[in-house]
Amino acid sequence: MDRDLVERARSGDQEAFADLVHQVSDVLFRVARRILRDPGLAEDVLQNALVTIWRKLPHLREPDRFEAWAFRILVHACYADAPRNRRWAATVRVLPIDRADEADDYRSISDRDELERAFRGLPLDQRAVFILHHHVGLPLVTVAETLGIPDGTARSRLHYATRALRTAFEASQAQIKVQEGRPA
């Protein structure tokens, strides 16, 4: 991130802030979408987070840490706006019918569906750590700093998220084997 750009935005330069938003908004949206599992809600949360970032930007102490600071605001916005007891709506993706190759067969679609259901079952705090570590590629120490939690808590949340995903996926695989008449 360009420190000069952050400094100009901190001093109220709207064009500099627009440039910053242009640089980080795609990755922020992907993080929000993966945490919330709902593209529409992720867009709303991102907009709220960007407003908060603009309002709080003059108070940013370390301009070099702008991106981590923005992730932290976004994740907290996800926590605040996530539906607590809402039934999750399915996200439907239309696949072209006339595809030349059939690499995306039933099994891979089924695997993705199982993984999606397991991921939706994770608590938001575990999803956030998992996404920032595995999808954004942040080291766990940086994830902990970004979220404002101890390193051990970040490691614990990642461990429990990974274990829950593995357990859900293995249970689903065992159920498929039973349905196919094979021993589990």
Side-chain angles (χ1 to χ4, degrees):
M1 194 63 42
D2 181 9
R3 182 185 174 93
D4 179 56
L5 193 60
V6 174
E7 289 289 352
R8 288 190 357 244
R10 280 181 61 196
S11 64
D13 183 339
Q14 291 180 359
E15 285 185 37
F17 183 70
D19 289 343
L20 281 175
V21 168
H22 181 71
Q23 289 179 18
V24 300
S25 62
D26 286 344
V27 72
L28 290 175
F29 175 73
R30 285 192 304 270
V31 167
R33 189 173 146 272
R34 286 184 173 130
I35 290 172
L36 297 169
R37 313 311 290 175
D38 180 330
L41 184 57
E43 288 175 359
D44 293 343
V45 167
L46 175 59
Q47 290 300 315
N48 291 338
L50 290 173
V51 168
T52 301
I53 289 168
W54 173 249
R55 266 194 353 256
K56 293 184 175 187
L57 191 56
H59 306 291
L60 175 64
R61 286 185 233 132
E62 299 177 49
D64 293 329
R65 303 222 353 102
F66 172 80
E67 198 167 17
W69 178 75
F71 279 131
R72 184 177 193 173
I73 289 173
L74 176 74
V75 170
H76 286 289
C78 288
Y79 289 166
D81 290 347
R84 299 287 184 242
N85 295 313
R86 177 178 165 236
R87 289 180 59 110
W88 290 99
T91 301
V92 177
R93 193 176 99 199
V94 178
L95 299 173
I97 294 175
D98 58 344
R99 291 174 32 152
D101 68 328
E102 292 300 321
D104 197 9
D105 62 354
Y106 169 78
R107 171 65 44 245
S108 64
I109 293 171
S110 176
D111 289 349
R112 277 195 314 242
D113 185 49
E114 291 168 24
L115 188 58
E116 175 67 19
R117 277 181 289 180
F119 201 75
R120 287 177 189 264
L122 293 178
L124 284 176
D125 56 354
Q126 290 179 10
R127 273 191 235 164
V129 170
F130 192 90
I131 295 300
L132 290 174
H133 182 64
H134 287 294
H135 291 280
V136 177
L138 298 178
L140 272 176
V141 172
T142 306
V143 170
E145 284 177 18
T146 299
L147 297 177
I149 58 176
D151 294 350
T153 301
R155 281 192 296 278
S156 174
R157 288 179 184 174
L158 181 62
H159 167 76
Y160 285 117
T162 304
R163 188 172 77 177
L165 291 173
R166 184 177 295 123
T167 299
F169 197 71
E170 288 171 354
S172 180
Q173 294 298 314
Q175 182 181 12
I176 290 170
K177 287 179 182 178
V178 168
Q179 289 173 349
E180 292 175 352
R182 296 183 290 162

